[in-house]
Amino acid sequence: MSETLFGTDGIREIAGHGILAPDRAARLGAAIGRLLRERPAVLGAKIGPGRRRVFLGRDTRVSGAALSSLLAGALAMEGADVTDLGILPTPGIARIAASLGADLAIVISASHNPPEFNGLKLLSCRGTKLPTTAEHAVEEALDDAAHPSGPTDPGPVGVRPNAAREYADWLRERLPGKAPLAGLRLAIDAGEGAASDIAEGLFSSLGADVLSLSAAGRGAEINVGTGALHPERVARIVAERGLDAGIAFDGDADRALFADARGTVRDGDDVLAILAPDRLETGRLPNRVVVGTTMSNQGLDAHFRRLGIRLERAPVGDRWVFEWMTKAGASLGGEPSGHIVFLPEHSTGDGIFTALMLLEAVARRKKPLAELADAWTRYPQALIAVAVVEKPDLDGIPAVRSAIEAAKAALADRGRLVVRYSGTEPLARVMVEGEDRARVEALAKSIAEAIRVEIGTP
């Protein structure tokens, strides 16, 4: 294999550079098209004769349209029938592609990364993220994709101009009844991303009174000081204006963070803490199990134990959450970052769907979000991201290994420690959790400083 392209959630690169340079992106499209034609099962496609159907969609980034056109042309040259869904959240692309019988869906988005980035996520015919084996197969196929090998008379790329409306209609149908969110006053921050054209109209149609923020779809400003990357903004506005709740989406709207009426940010752990007992009471929590990740707060364990619910921890990444849920027979799982997965209702994390489920519970229980979230106690947790110039094995760096071992000894069995590299950014992430906030923060800082000195950005 000549290179590793895929991180924990697809490809991420500065637009026009690296694998996203025009010539290399064309080769990548050709490699995917050829693999889909010759070995469809590897990419989770249906087995059988006929041309392969590929659906493309993107977020609002300035570079998205050109990259989509380039990939569509390369895929068509390899014999694929390509349909462009336009600007649409990642879960919307997954939903529509699966419902219409696509063999593969490609999401052109860098999710929470800054505007100058772009990327690709590959989804199977079921709308699920492909396993790492499929991504490795794409990487290997790149070596053979210098020139198209398929038909030289590709058909035109199709478009589906009403894709966003179809997705919004499907979401609206998830909450039956007349105005199920009536009376709720919401601030919704679309982050200038893929939810920009959908969120306000959808929540308004369900009865909520909506204050819309950063919803002009300005791709040059996606994630900049807004959205799920900066939930403190919507939290401040909710508190200042006396609203009931706030929602903040990331660039491709596959995750969401929330704010309660007090202006407190509520993350994915809060969502799990609220929805797990709610689904248990309504008979929608099979096996009494919820899947979190290694980053899920330890307070969830105690909260769920009191309710007779088991928390299982998957590796970081909603793809792994999905896999763990499937193995455990779980219907609910997610990450603190706001990726929440609901089975069998959906095939992937969906920020808008998550918001609907959470707000429906708030409206039905007639209790404010803050009160529902206060039902569990969060352990003090320190999270530090360190910019790094490379990603060597941390165990092989004596100073870092020493700081980690000292922190583990200090925590003993009364806390948790996770140190890992980001799969999508040049960052090392340090998470320390325990009973004493001051100690937790000091231990996290000591590890982060060791990383910064050894491999940090100058």
Side-chain angles (χ1 to χ4, degrees), residues 403-414 417 439 443:
I404 292 174
E405 290 174 351
K408 288 181 177 178
L411 291 170
D413 59 353
R414 296 188 300 277
L417 167 67
R439 170 175 286 189
L443 293 174

Side-chain angles (χ1 to χ4, degrees), residues 1 27 42 82 116 122 131 134 167 178 203 207 213 222-223 248 274 291 330 345 378 381 405 419 442:
M1 190 181 305
R27 284 182 55 208
V42 172
V82 183
E116 62 270 22
L122 304 182
Y167 172 53
K178 184 178 180 180
F203 285 88
L213 307 169
I222 191 170
N223 299 323
I274 293 170
V291 176
E345 296 101 313
R378 183 184 297 270
Q381 189 181 81
E405 290 174 351
V419 183

Side-chain angles (χ1 to χ4, degrees), residues 215-229:
R218 291 185 286 259
E221 300 174 24
I222 191 170
N223 299 323
V224 179
T226 187
L229 274 293

Side-chain angles (χ1 to χ4, degrees), residues 256-302:
L257 295 180
F258 301 87
D260 64 29
R262 297 193 296 249
T264 301
V265 174
R266 300 295 184 173
D267 66 7
D269 282 350
D270 290 296
V271 174
L272 295 181
I274 293 170
L275 291 185
D278 184 74
R279 291 172 76 88
L280 181 64
E281 290 178 14
T282 53
R284 295 176 294 163
L285 198 73
N287 300 319
R288 304 178 76 99
V289 61
V290 174
V291 176
T293 73
T294 56
M295 301 298 285
S296 299
N297 193 278
Q298 198 168 354
L300 276 181
D301 292 275

Side-chain angles (χ1 to χ4, degrees), residues 123-192:
L123 307 175
S124 75
C125 64
R126 299 180 304 280
T128 59
K129 292 185 177 177
L130 292 180
T132 54
T133 52
E135 294 174 341
H136 292 162
V138 171
E139 292 168 341
E140 291 171 346
L142 258 181
D143 291 335
D144 300 323
H147 303 287
S149 65
T152 58
D153 56 345
V157 174
V159 296
R160 197 168 184 88
N162 295 322
R165 188 185 68 190
E166 293 175 60
Y167 172 53
D169 288 344
W170 178 82
L171 288 167
R172 191 176 294 107
E173 292 167 1
R174 299 313 98 192
L175 294 188
K178 184 178 180 180
L181 302 183
L184 286 178
R185 297 165 301 156
L186 308 174
I188 300 181
D189 187 343
E192 299 294 355

Side-chain angles (χ1 to χ4, degrees), residues 186-190 199-200 203 210-215 234 245-249:
L186 308 174
I188 300 181
D189 187 343
E200 180 181 4
F203 285 88
V210 176
L211 171 64
S212 184
L213 307 169
S214 299
V234 76
I247 311 168
F249 299 111

